[in-house]
Amino acid sequence: MMEPCDLLIHSAAQVVTCAGPPGPRRGAAMRELGIISDGAVAIRGTTIIAVGPSAELRRRFHPAREINARGRAVCPGLVDCHTHIVYAGDRVAEFEQRCAGATYQEIMAAGGGILRTMRLTRAATTAELVEATLPRLQQMLRLGTTTAEVKTGYGLARDAELRQLAAIGLLAAAQPVELVPTFLPAHAVPPEFAGRADAYIDLVIEEMLPLARDWYRVSSFAARSIPLFADVFCERGAFDVAQSRRVLAAAQALGFSLKAHVDEFAELGGLAMALELGATSVDHLDVTNPVMFPALAVSATVAVLLPLVSLNLGLSHFAAARQMIDAGVAVALSTDANPGSAPSLSLPLTMAIACRYMRMLPAEALLATTVNAAHAIGLGGRVGAIMPGMQADLLVLTEADYRWLMYELGGSPVERVIKRGQVVVGESE
């Protein structure tokens, strides 16, 4: 007797399962995709219940509805594990300044950069932040992102940071992309604390972190076991290692999971500090000394690399992804989507650049934006792979080979998006 299921996707040229043992992928395992030719996926409710050859699953299941993939590739929904997409305004004028030769640091020192976005975001209401962000999430979804981490960090004041958290909560309920919140009040020193960074850190620790924890406890994120992260920008011109440690240690004591921006422009020692505190991820790592790779490899921490920043800033230097992977580091990729250093919402473009400029193989890039990215935001084992028991987040691509995700520059490689078992982009058949 045939088993019932709600949705059967069949006749895929490739079902790229990304299946494997628990935990993030490392080394040679980052090239193992578990591809099933002429594959199928059975879904009941929001969960994958079976994966295998089409002939086998079509004999086994009686679906309420079907999608004939017609020889296209099927892969997991993509996970964007580092974004700053809740903000007001833009930084188009600064883009022109950089084209004329100004550096990111020079623009920031002149009151632009993060501080410009801070001023615009502080002036926006929660509803205005939601309205500005919804189109970004819709575009991410069309490009295959089904789960995204979203940071605060453009308020840099108690009420403005909490408004960003409130906006993230409203956005999570308003559209299909699953969101993971990160609290980043220590993103830059606000102008009213110029020359008094330690005093701002005091405010972050004594007022902002406890209020964010209280917000989270009654939020839908806590109810769905989605973690709340705390993050800090440990960088010259932002916060030093001692200040960053104070923020992360205080957040950890309050129950936050930890992330850290480290080694983007200068290597200050933030990586060692973050590893000591057991951060879930360390992000950027553009100038990290390779002597740190063994320590990173033996840790449980995921290295999140952000190649669109280097591309956008016109830099010739990229994070050493090839060396990290060969050393056994668990590498993830993300857009770093933000209005200044990475104005892009495309994980396919991120993968394309990583393959070309960071010497990652297509399989490694896909695992870096699925399995490893999921672990970088505390959702490993829940999203990022096509396996029984996993959430039914899948993409039907426009081509028969998953490598088109990285091969084509700036295209739209996704035909359909399925989130929690529902078609949210494209039409079911």
Side-chain angles (χ1 to χ4, degrees):
M1 184 175 176
M2 297 177 76
E3 301 176 41
C5 72
D6 295 314
L7 176 62
L8 181 67
I9 304 167
H10 62 81
S11 305
Q14 301 173 332
V15 173
V16 187
T17 67
C18 298
R25 298 297 180 79
R26 304 170 186 274
M30 283 194 70
R31 298 191 289 274
E32 297 171 3
L33 293 180
I35 295 175
I36 300 172
S37 299
D38 190 14
V41 183
I43 297 165
R44 185 175 296 139
T46 63
T47 305
I48 296 165
I49 58 171
V51 186
S54 289
E56 177 185 319
L57 265 62
R58 295 186 83 179
R59 285 193 301 268
R60 177 178 166 188
F61 288 99
H62 177 69
R65 57 193 179 114
E66 299 181 35
I67 292 177
N68 182 346
R70 303 188 316 280
R72 270 55 164 187
V74 172
C75 71
L78 305 179
V79 179
D80 201 342
C81 57
H82 180 129
T83 84
H84 304 257
I85 57 170
V86 175
Y87 60 87
D90 61 56
R91 306 230 288 269
V92 173
E94 293 177 9
F95 165 68
E96 186 172 23
Q97 287 178 275
R98 287 201 307 276
C99 291
T103 69
Y104 180 82
Q105 294 94 326
E106 287 168 348
I107 291 169
M108 191 170 176
I114 292 170
L115 296 183
R116 169 177 164 77
T117 302
M118 175 208 74
R119 291 189 293 272
L120 296 169
T121 302
R122 283 183 177 182
T125 65
T126 303
E128 288 168 340
L129 291 173
V130 170
E131 183 180 7
T133 307
L134 272 172
R136 297 169 197 142
L137 285 164
Q138 291 163 356
Q139 178 68 1
M140 292 169 77
L141 188 68
R142 288 192 292 270
L143 290 165
T145 295
T146 54
T147 302
E149 182 259 17
V150 185
K151 303 178 192 294
T152 71
Y154 290 130
L156 306 182
R158 185 191 66 188
D159 292 348
E161 286 289 310
L162 292 173
R163 279 200 302 277
Q164 282 192 276
L165 278 180
I168 294 168
L170 291 170
L171 288 160
Q175 51 74 54
V177 179
E178 192 164 1
L179 304 184
V180 175
T182 292
F183 194 52
L184 178 59
H187 194 194
V189 180
E192 57 269 27
F193 283 88
R196 299 188 300 123
D198 285 325
Y200 181 61
I201 295 299
D202 291 340
L203 178 66
V204 168
I205 291 171
E206 294 167 11
E207 292 191 32
M208 295 193 197
L209 288 172
L211 287 169
R213 175 203 56 190
D214 294 345
W215 168 86
Y216 173 73
R217 283 177 171 173
V218 297
S219 74
S220 63
F221 298 107
R224 291 180 287 127
S225 300
I226 293 176
L228 173 64
F229 287 89
D231 199 347
V232 64
F233 191 16
C234 184
E235 183 59 60
R236 188 176 297 138
F239 301 98
D240 63 26
V241 173
Q243 292 161 343
S244 300
R245 179 189 293 275
R246 287 183 62 206
V247 171
L248 294 181
Q252 190 172 55
L254 292 172
F256 289 75
S257 297
L258 304 183
K259 292 180 167 289
H261 289 59
V262 298
D263 299 354
E264 181 176 4
F265 300 112
E267 191 175 33
L268 304 183
L271 174 55
M273 177 272 296
L275 292 179
E276 181 185 334
L277 292 175
T280 301
S281 77
V282 284
D283 301 33
H284 283 293
L285 306 178
D286 297 286
V287 298
T288 301
N289 191 314
V291 300
M292 289 298 299
F293 295 169
L296 186 52
V298 299
S299 75
T301 303
V302 178
V304 176
L305 309 184
L306 307 162
L308 292 185
V309 176
S310 296
L311 182 75
N312 180 62
L313 297 181
L315 305 177
S316 59
H317 179 79
F318 289 77
R322 179 76 271 139
Q323 287 178 268
M324 291 185 197
I325 293 170
D326 292 345
V329 174
V331 168
L333 292 169
S334 185
T335 61
D336 195 15
N338 73 74
S341 62
S344 174
L345 304 166
S346 176
L347 277 174
L349 180 60
T350 302
M351 289 188 277
I353 298 306
C355 289
R356 288 162 172 83
Y357 288 90
M358 299 165 72
R359 298 181 57 214
M360 292 181 70
L361 298 173
E364 293 168 339
L366 184 62
L367 283 166
T369 53
T370 54
V371 174
N372 284 7
H375 282 281
I377 55 174
L379 297 185
R382 182 164 163 177
V383 300
I386 302 176
M387 299 170 63
M390 298 280 276
Q391 190 165 283
D393 297 354
L394 305 97
L395 309 180
V396 180
L397 304 183
T398 57
E399 303 291 340
D401 191 315
Y402 81 92
R403 289 173 293 188
W404 275 83
L405 279 169
M406 309 84 185
Y407 169 63
E408 186 177 23
L409 283 169
S412 298
V414 178
E415 181 178 271
R416 288 187 179 89
V417 180
I418 294 95
K419 179 65 183 180
R420 300 188 191 93
Q422 299 296 315
V423 178
V424 292
V425 173
E427 295 297 326
S428 61
E429 295 181 346

